Amino acid sequence: SQQGEEDPQALSIQEGENATMNCSYKTSINNLQWYRQNSGRGLVHLILIRSNEREKHSGRLRVTLDTSKKSSSLLITASRAADTASYFCATLHTSGTYKYIFGTGTRLKVLA
Amino acid sequence: ETGVTQSPTHLIKTRGQQVTLRCSSQSGHNTVSWYQQALGQGPQFIFQYYREEENGRGNFPPRFSGLQFPNYSSELNVNALELDDSALYLCASSPGLAGVGSTDTQYFGPGTRLTVL
């Protein structure tokens, strides 16, 4: 499989708690992006971090990137019921040809 | 609302048939990518078009082909449908060429759910 790996596969937390998801990939990348998907619909872009960046923030989201370990994490602080969704990381590989590789996803459930 | 639309929403075909899925990108977006998402899986990259030329492809056989038109619309064609082609097909547009200094944010459409019987 070409897909990256995400863990955990599923996560259930209470409203107000923080949620952390991890993503690992296999080859060198240009950038890494995180997306959210509600109930098998289209994906919504959350945040992009380039290979020369180590950390990025956007609202309640914090993303880190460790290119030496080929891994990234997404932290959602003070989670809300509306954050319930599947979260995917996607890496852009530009060696030879452009190719986006998505992870297997983390299904987050936030309980009210 | 991403401004990317896809048609049809749902489609049922039988094995061996051919199908054409359509996507309308945001105006000004020169790049369109197509993905296949099986149930419970992440999207799998099929290919990408930039200014009407294919400039990236995933591990999909040649019976998956595409076209991009100057009016920011595009098509995904699948010939000789197989049962495993049943999936959600997503298109995504972005402003520029991937990885070349421009924003790589992809704007996804709602998808077309294809069922092959």
Side-chain angles (χ1 to χ4, degrees):
Chain A
S1 169
Q2 290 188 85
Q3 291 200 304
E5 298 289 330
E6 291 186 58
D7 77 273
Q9 289 188 338
L11 182 60
S12 186
I13 59 174
Q14 296 291 329
E15 231 178 5
E17 294 182 335
N18 296 341
T20 300
M21 295 158 243
N22 303 295
C23 165
S24 61
Y25 56 92
K26 295 176 182 174
T27 59
S28 61
I29 63 171
N30 178 283
N31 67 58
L32 184 145
Q33 303 174 45
W34 285 89
Y35 289 84
R36 184 185 75 225
Q37 184 178 39
N38 290 86
S39 301
R41 298 179 60 82
L43 284 79
V44 174
H45 179 265
L46 296 175
I47 196 166
L48 179 152
I49 185 166
R50 299 202 180 277
S51 59
N52 60 353
E53 297 176 310
R54 291 297 167 258
E55 188 170 314
K56 209 159 180 184
H57 297 255
S58 177
R60 294 185 295 113
L61 306 179
R62 172 178 168 255
V63 168
T64 61
L65 178 64
D66 187 335
T67 52
S68 65
K69 294 181 180 177
K70 293 187 170 56
S71 67
S72 173
S73 67
L74 170 68
L75 168 68
I76 304 175
T77 60
S79 62
R80 306 165 182 167
D83 294 329
T84 295
S86 291
Y87 291 82
F88 295 93
C89 67
T91 48
L92 173 61
H93 303 257
T94 56
S95 55
T97 184
Y98 295 108
K99 184 182 291 187
Y100 288 92
I101 297 179
F102 274 76
T104 50
T106 293
R107 290 178 296 284
L108 173 66
K109 188 169 186 178
V110 181
L111 305 169
Chain B
E1 189 64 48
T2 63
V4 180
T5 59
Q6 291 186 244
S7 62
T9 305
H10 296 90
L11 199 53
I12 298 175
K13 291 284 189 178
T14 55
R15 196 169 47 181
Q17 285 189 311
Q18 179 265 343
V19 68
T20 297
L21 309 182
R22 293 181 172 83
C23 172
S24 180
S25 301
Q26 278 195 28
S27 180
H29 282 195
N30 294 309
T31 298
V32 65
S33 301
W34 284 89
Y35 294 86
Q36 179 194 68
Q37 187 178 23
L39 204 59
Q41 301 292 316
Q44 296 258 24
F45 177 66
I46 302 174
F47 44 56
Q48 180 183 84
Y49 279 78
Y50 174 71
R51 297 194 175 191
E52 303 160 52
E53 289 197 12
E54 186 181 298
N55 78 325
R57 191 176 182 94
N59 291 343
F60 281 81
R63 61 189 185 84
F64 285 79
S65 63
L67 285 171
Q68 185 185 26
F69 303 102
N71 66 351
Y72 304 111
S73 67
S74 58
E75 291 179 354
L76 165 65
N77 298 290
V78 187
N79 294 323
L81 283 167
E82 301 176 0
L83 297 179
D84 284 349
D85 295 334
S86 294
L88 180 69
Y89 288 85
L90 298 160
C91 76
S93 73
S94 51
L97 188 59
V100 187
S102 57
T103 176
D104 294 320
T105 299
Q106 296 184 87
Y107 297 86
F108 280 82
T112 293
R113 184 153 306 275
L114 172 65
T115 302
V116 182
L117 302 176

